[in-house]
Amino acid sequence: VAVTTILPLVVLVRLAGALLATPTLRRHIQHHPQTTPTTRYPSQCRRRIEQRRCPRRDAALDPAQASTPPSVVVVGGGAIALLTAKTCAGAGYRTSMLSRRPDFDRAVLDDSTASNPVALLPVASDADADAFAARAAAADGLVIAYDSEKTLPDKLLDIVLPETSAVRRVAVLSRHLSGKGIAAPLQAASKAAANREVWCPTPGLVQQLRDFERRVAERAARVGADVVTVRCGTLKGGGPGEKQPASDATTTGSDGTAAVPATQLSRVFYAEFCQPDLVNWQLIFDCDTRGVALTPGDTAPGPGLRAVFTATSPEAEPGDSGRPAVAQALTRGLALAFDGPSLDFGVASAKGRDAPGDDVWKTEFAKVLSG
């Protein structure tokens, strides 16, 4: 029986149980409560911020055109933060990332043999915190990316974007917030029954993310930095897909197979970040759905009434975003030249067994910049 036939049947069975059992959706981040924005900027305060706005620096950060590779700090959580940090390092950025479990994170990254591995910064002491704050303030670029429906707390935002920050470009991961193609009851049930990472935008979540985007933009403006907002839907994939024999590569990973490319995490991703299922549809997604399609602004549609079928589909579906493509978008957004202080675009999944090259990204960014 085809995988695409089995998966919807499994989802339908789980969905029926979820709808009969309870109408309440449990958040998958129970152990990491969402941050509720508490800071508000009245209109007179916003005017003062605009008056104090620093002159914009040369914001685009292109390692290929810099005598010294730009430094980037990545903050956030989950597989998308790790993959984005690895992608930044693979692109030539001097990349640092906070890590509460350095050994585990290194195993997920599988970049110990890379020429430019991610610097994992511990947070075990006050001295560690001070060292991170100093590195963040001196960084050229900042990336904020969470897998879960979470935003950066104000206290941490103060640390990574202080008044003295040297940051020139901020790349922040947000979500599709337009409400297009949303069937809330079906998406909520699919989230509870089939895939806890289904993006289900409630009014509260939408407002929280909009508030967060505003706060990041205001703080970036204070230090003269540009902001690139990358939007995603349901995040899927991120691992290496098929194994490559070590004999086909010049370096080997920790499990004896070929070292994982900079655009993918190790196979630990499937064991530690993915829900157990009858079929490892995330792995199939990583094999067959590696393409990318960008949408200008906040215009990408959700899955609509097909939500029950798309929750665990390895195909390119409306409302889905592949983690590798999102990580690439955040990384390439650091070097992208554009007019104005901000750029806003969405990332959708697309069919393809090969990762998109520079020509594909150039074409996709042209659509964004002209839209």
Side-chain angles (χ1 to χ4, degrees):
V1 181
V3 168
T4 52
T5 302
I6 295 174
L7 288 174
L9 291 175
V10 173
V11 174
L12 283 170
V13 171
R14 292 180 179 175
L15 176 60
L19 289 173
L20 290 172
T22 174
T24 303
L25 176 64
R26 289 187 179 181
R27 298 187 184 282
H28 101 89
I29 52 171
Q30 288 175 333
H31 299 295
H32 302 280
Q34 285 186 306
T35 302
T36 302
T38 55
T39 304
R40 294 292 182 267
Y41 295 92
S43 58
Q44 63 269 27
C45 181
R46 286 199 297 271
R47 285 195 295 270
R48 287 198 297 271
I49 291 173
E50 290 295 321
Q51 292 166 0
R52 294 176 54 209
R53 176 175 290 183
C54 298
R56 287 180 58 217
R57 308 181 182 101
D58 182 13
L61 306 174
D62 189 348
Q65 298 183 9
S67 56
T68 301
S71 60
V72 171
V73 168
V74 178
V75 293
I80 189 60
L82 287 164
L83 183 53
T84 302
K86 183 176 184 179
T87 305
C88 285
Y93 294 99
R94 292 177 292 134
T95 308
S96 304
M97 180 180 179
L98 275 179
S99 176
R100 289 179 172 79
R101 299 183 295 173
D103 292 341
F104 173 80
D105 288 344
R106 187 65 69 194
V108 177
L109 291 168
D110 194 24
D111 67 344
S112 57
T113 60
S115 59
N116 183 34
V118 176
L120 296 175
L121 307 178
V123 288
S125 66
D126 290 342
D128 291 338
D130 291 341
F132 171 74
R135 186 170 298 207
D140 299 303
L142 171 66
V143 180
I144 305 172
Y146 280 97
D147 251 21
S148 60
E149 295 145 357
K150 192 177 180 183
T151 58
L152 198 67
D154 280 342
K155 289 184 179 179
L156 189 50
L157 191 57
D158 288 337
I159 292 172
V160 297
L161 272 179
E163 295 283 352
T164 57
S165 175
V167 166
R168 292 150 51 191
R169 174 68 56 85
V170 179
V172 59
L173 179 60
S174 188
R175 298 281 180 156
H176 302 315
L177 304 178
S178 68
K180 295 180 181 179
I182 299 301
L186 287 177
Q187 285 173 247
S190 297
K191 186 181 182 76
N195 179 6
R196 60 176 177 248
E197 294 179 314
V198 166
W199 168 233
C200 182
T202 64
L205 274 175
V206 170
Q207 189 59 51
Q208 175 180 313
L209 285 165
R210 284 179 174 159
D211 286 345
F212 177 64
E213 291 176 20
R214 173 181 54 79
R215 297 201 316 278
V216 170
E218 288 174 341
R219 297 194 186 202
R222 293 183 186 183
V223 300
D226 287 354
V227 178
V228 174
T229 302
V230 177
R231 302 188 180 279
C232 68
T234 297
L235 288 167
K236 291 183 176 180
E242 299 165 312
K243 279 193 174 184
Q244 176 186 1
S247 57
D248 294 343
T250 55
T251 59
T252 57
S254 56
D255 63 352
T257 58
V260 178
T263 55
Q264 299 163 318
L265 297 173
S266 75
R267 298 185 72 82
V268 177
F269 165 77
Y270 299 121
E272 298 293 336
F273 290 94
C274 301
Q275 293 174 247
D277 222 319
L278 294 178
V279 177
N280 194 336
W281 59 268
Q282 298 261 23
L283 187 150
I284 299 171
F285 182 95
D286 285 326
C287 293
D288 297 338
T289 315
R290 301 181 64 189
V292 64
L294 301 185
T295 54
D298 189 5
T299 58
L305 297 177
R306 283 180 45 79
V308 62
F309 298 101
T310 63
T312 57
S313 171
E315 306 291 335
E317 302 284 3
D320 290 351
S321 305
R323 283 187 185 86
V326 171
Q328 281 279 348
L330 288 164
T331 301
R332 291 173 181 268
L334 292 171
L336 188 66
F338 56 87
D339 296 327
S342 64
L343 182 66
D344 181 1
F345 61 90
V347 178
S349 60
K351 190 174 180 60
R353 289 188 64 86
D354 296 316
D358 291 340
D359 289 345
V360 174
W361 280 102
K362 184 177 180 180
T363 300
E364 292 300 318
F365 276 127
K367 293 192 304 185
V368 169
L369 295 171
S370 63

PDB file of all heavy atoms in Angstrom, residues 185-199:
ATOM      1  N   PRO A 185     -10.628  24.313  13.399  1.00  0.00           N
ATOM      2  CA  PRO A 185     -10.969  23.060  14.093  1.00  0.00           C
ATOM      3  C   PRO A 185     -10.196  21.859  13.567  1.00  0.00           C
ATOM      4  O   PRO A 185      -9.703  21.030  14.336  1.00  0.00           O
ATOM      5  CB  PRO A 185     -12.475  22.917  13.851  1.00  0.00           C
ATOM      6  CG  PRO A 185     -12.953  24.304  13.569  1.00  0.00           C
ATOM      7  CD  PRO A 185     -11.837  24.961  12.834  1.00  0.00           C
ATOM      8  N   LEU A 186     -10.060  21.756  12.227  1.00  0.00           N
ATOM      9  CA  LEU A 186      -9.339  20.627  11.647  1.00  0.00           C
ATOM     10  C   LEU A 186      -7.851  20.691  11.956  1.00  0.00           C
ATOM     11  O   LEU A 186      -7.215  19.677  12.259  1.00  0.00           O
ATOM     12  CB  LEU A 186      -9.553  20.599  10.135  1.00  0.00           C
ATOM     13  CG  LEU A 186     -10.940  20.142   9.646  1.00  0.00           C
ATOM     14  CD1 LEU A 186     -11.023  20.243   8.137  1.00  0.00           C
ATOM     15  CD2 LEU A 186     -11.225  18.718  10.109  1.00  0.00           C
ATOM     16  N   GLN A 187      -7.287  21.888  11.909  1.00  0.00           N
ATOM     17  CA  GLN A 187      -5.865  22.021  12.193  1.00  0.00           C
ATOM     18  C   GLN A 187      -5.561  21.753  13.664  1.00  0.00           C
ATOM     19  O   GLN A 187      -4.557  21.134  14.000  1.00  0.00           O
ATOM     20  CB  GLN A 187      -5.376  23.411  11.776  1.00  0.00           C
ATOM     21  CG  GLN A 187      -5.245  23.529  10.260  1.00  0.00           C
ATOM     22  CD  GLN A 187      -4.938  24.922   9.795  1.00  0.00           C
ATOM     23  OE1 GLN A 187      -5.750  25.563   9.154  1.00  0.00           O
ATOM     24  NE2 GLN A 187      -3.746  25.406  10.091  1.00  0.00           N
ATOM     25  N   ALA A 188      -6.456  22.207  14.551  1.00  0.00           N
ATOM     26  CA  ALA A 188      -6.267  21.951  15.973  1.00  0.00           C
ATOM     27  C   ALA A 188      -6.348  20.458  16.272  1.00  0.00           C
ATOM     28  O   ALA A 188      -5.539  19.915  17.035  1.00  0.00           O
ATOM     29  CB  ALA A 188      -7.317  22.712  16.786  1.00  0.00           C
ATOM     30  N   ALA A 189      -7.311  19.779  15.662  1.00  0.00           N
ATOM     31  CA  ALA A 189      -7.444  18.337  15.882  1.00  0.00           C
ATOM     32  C   ALA A 189      -6.263  17.579  15.283  1.00  0.00           C
ATOM     33  O   ALA A 189      -5.766  16.619  15.870  1.00  0.00           O
ATOM     34  CB  ALA A 189      -8.757  17.843  15.279  1.00  0.00           C
ATOM     35  N   SER A 190      -5.793  18.008  14.099  1.00  0.00           N
ATOM     36  CA  SER A 190      -4.632  17.365  13.482  1.00  0.00           C
ATOM     37  C   SER A 190      -3.396  17.550  14.341  1.00  0.00           C
ATOM     38  O   SER A 190      -2.566  16.645  14.458  1.00  0.00           O
ATOM     39  CB  SER A 190      -4.391  17.952  12.087  1.00  0.00           C
ATOM     40  OG  SER A 190      -5.473  17.690  11.232  1.00  0.00           O
ATOM     41  N   LYS A 191      -3.282  18.705  14.963  1.00  0.00           N
ATOM     42  CA  LYS A 191      -2.144  18.986  15.840  1.00  0.00           C
ATOM     43  C   LYS A 191      -2.156  18.055  17.043  1.00  0.00           C
ATOM     44  O   LYS A 191      -1.129  17.545  17.479  1.00  0.00           O
ATOM     45  CB  LYS A 191      -2.198  20.444  16.291  1.00  0.00           C
ATOM     46  CG  LYS A 191      -0.994  20.919  17.099  1.00  0.00           C
ATOM     47  CD  LYS A 191      -1.204  22.371  17.497  1.00  0.00           C
ATOM     48  CE  LYS A 191      -0.014  22.919  18.258  1.00  0.00           C
ATOM     49  NZ  LYS A 191       1.120  23.232  17.369  1.00  0.00           N
ATOM     50  N   ALA A 192      -3.349  17.838  17.597  1.00  0.00           N
ATOM     51  CA  ALA A 192      -3.467  16.991  18.779  1.00  0.00           C
ATOM     52  C   ALA A 192      -3.330  15.512  18.449  1.00  0.00           C
ATOM     53  O   ALA A 192      -2.762  14.743  19.230  1.00  0.00           O
ATOM     54  CB  ALA A 192      -4.814  17.241  19.462  1.00  0.00           C
ATOM     55  N   ALA A 193      -3.817  15.115  17.274  1.00  0.00           N
ATOM     56  CA  ALA A 193      -3.905  13.691  16.979  1.00  0.00           C
ATOM     57  C   ALA A 193      -2.768  13.156  16.135  1.00  0.00           C
ATOM     58  O   ALA A 193      -2.422  11.975  16.237  1.00  0.00           O
ATOM     59  CB  ALA A 193      -5.230  13.404  16.254  1.00  0.00           C
ATOM     60  N   ALA A 194      -2.169  14.002  15.280  1.00  0.00           N
ATOM     61  CA  ALA A 194      -1.236  13.472  14.293  1.00  0.00           C
ATOM     62  C   ALA A 194       0.151  14.092  14.337  1.00  0.00           C
ATOM     63  O   ALA A 194       1.148  13.387  14.264  1.00  0.00           O
ATOM     64  CB  ALA A 194      -1.831  13.659  12.888  1.00  0.00           C
ATOM     65  N   ASN A 195       0.227  15.401  14.447  1.00  0.00           N
ATOM     66  CA  ASN A 195       1.514  16.076  14.339  1.00  0.00           C
ATOM     67  C   ASN A 195       1.485  17.327  15.208  1.00  0.00           C
ATOM     68  O   ASN A 195       0.840  18.312  14.869  1.00  0.00           O
ATOM     69  CB  ASN A 195       1.803  16.439  12.875  1.00  0.00           C
ATOM     70  CG  ASN A 195       3.123  17.177  12.699  1.00  0.00           C
ATOM     71  OD1 ASN A 195       3.891  17.335  13.639  1.00  0.00           O
ATOM     72  ND2 ASN A 195       3.369  17.651  11.486  1.00  0.00           N
ATOM     73  N   ARG A 196       2.171  17.268  16.326  1.00  0.00           N
ATOM     74  CA  ARG A 196       2.123  18.382  17.282  1.00  0.00           C
ATOM     75  C   ARG A 196       2.739  19.668  16.724  1.00  0.00           C
ATOM     76  O   ARG A 196       2.606  20.729  17.322  1.00  0.00           O
ATOM     77  CB  ARG A 196       2.846  17.997  18.567  1.00  0.00           C
ATOM     78  CG  ARG A 196       4.319  17.647  18.384  1.00  0.00           C
ATOM     79  CD  ARG A 196       4.998  17.375  19.722  1.00  0.00           C
ATOM     80  NE  ARG A 196       6.386  16.980  19.548  1.00  0.00           N
ATOM     81  CZ  ARG A 196       6.887  15.790  19.799  1.00  0.00           C
ATOM     82  NH1 ARG A 196       6.085  14.822  20.221  1.00  0.00           N
ATOM     83  NH2 ARG A 196       8.172  15.530  19.623  1.00  0.00           N
ATOM     84  N   GLU A 197       3.427  19.566  15.576  1.00  0.00           N
ATOM     85  CA  GLU A 197       4.052  20.752  14.995  1.00  0.00           C
ATOM     86  C   GLU A 197       3.193  21.429  13.931  1.00  0.00           C
ATOM     87  O   GLU A 197       3.640  22.367  13.269  1.00  0.00           O
ATOM     88  CB  GLU A 197       5.418  20.381  14.414  1.00  0.00           C
ATOM     89  CG  GLU A 197       6.392  19.974  15.509  1.00  0.00           C
ATOM     90  CD  GLU A 197       7.749  19.583  14.964  1.00  0.00           C
ATOM     91  OE1 GLU A 197       7.804  18.820  13.983  1.00  0.00           O
ATOM     92  OE2 GLU A 197       8.741  20.047  15.525  1.00  0.00           O
ATOM     93  N   VAL A 198       1.960  20.984  13.765  1.00  0.00           N
ATOM     94  CA  VAL A 198       1.037  21.651  12.849  1.00  0.00           C
ATOM     95  C   VAL A 198       0.851  23.101  13.302  1.00  0.00           C
ATOM     96  O   VAL A 198       0.598  23.364  14.483  1.00  0.00           O
ATOM     97  CB  VAL A 198      -0.317  20.917  12.799  1.00  0.00           C
ATOM     98  CG1 VAL A 198      -1.385  21.779  12.126  1.00  0.00           C
ATOM     99  CG2 VAL A 198      -0.176  19.587  12.064  1.00  0.00           C
ATOM    100  N   TRP A 199       0.976  24.021  12.369  1.00  0.00           N
ATOM    101  CA  TRP A 199       0.764  25.436  12.692  1.00  0.00           C
ATOM    102  C   TRP A 199      -0.736  25.708  12.728  1.00  0.00           C
ATOM    103  O   TRP A 199      -1.437  25.600  11.724  1.00  0.00           O
ATOM    104  CB  TRP A 199       1.449  26.322  11.661  1.00  0.00           C
ATOM    105  CG  TRP A 199       1.067  27.778  11.721  1.00  0.00           C
ATOM    106  CD1 TRP A 199       0.617  28.555  10.695  1.00  0.00           C
ATOM    107  CD2 TRP A 199       1.109  28.653  12.872  1.00  0.00           C
ATOM    108  NE1 TRP A 199       0.373  29.840  11.116  1.00  0.00           N
ATOM    109  CE2 TRP A 199       0.669  29.928  12.462  1.00  0.00           C
ATOM    110  CE3 TRP A 199       1.466  28.469  14.216  1.00  0.00           C
ATOM    111  CZ2 TRP A 199       0.579  31.017  13.319  1.00  0.00           C
ATOM    112  CZ3 TRP A 199       1.383  29.549  15.083  1.00  0.00           C
ATOM    113  CH2 TRP A 199       0.941  30.794  14.637  1.00  0.00           C
TER     114      TRP A 199
END
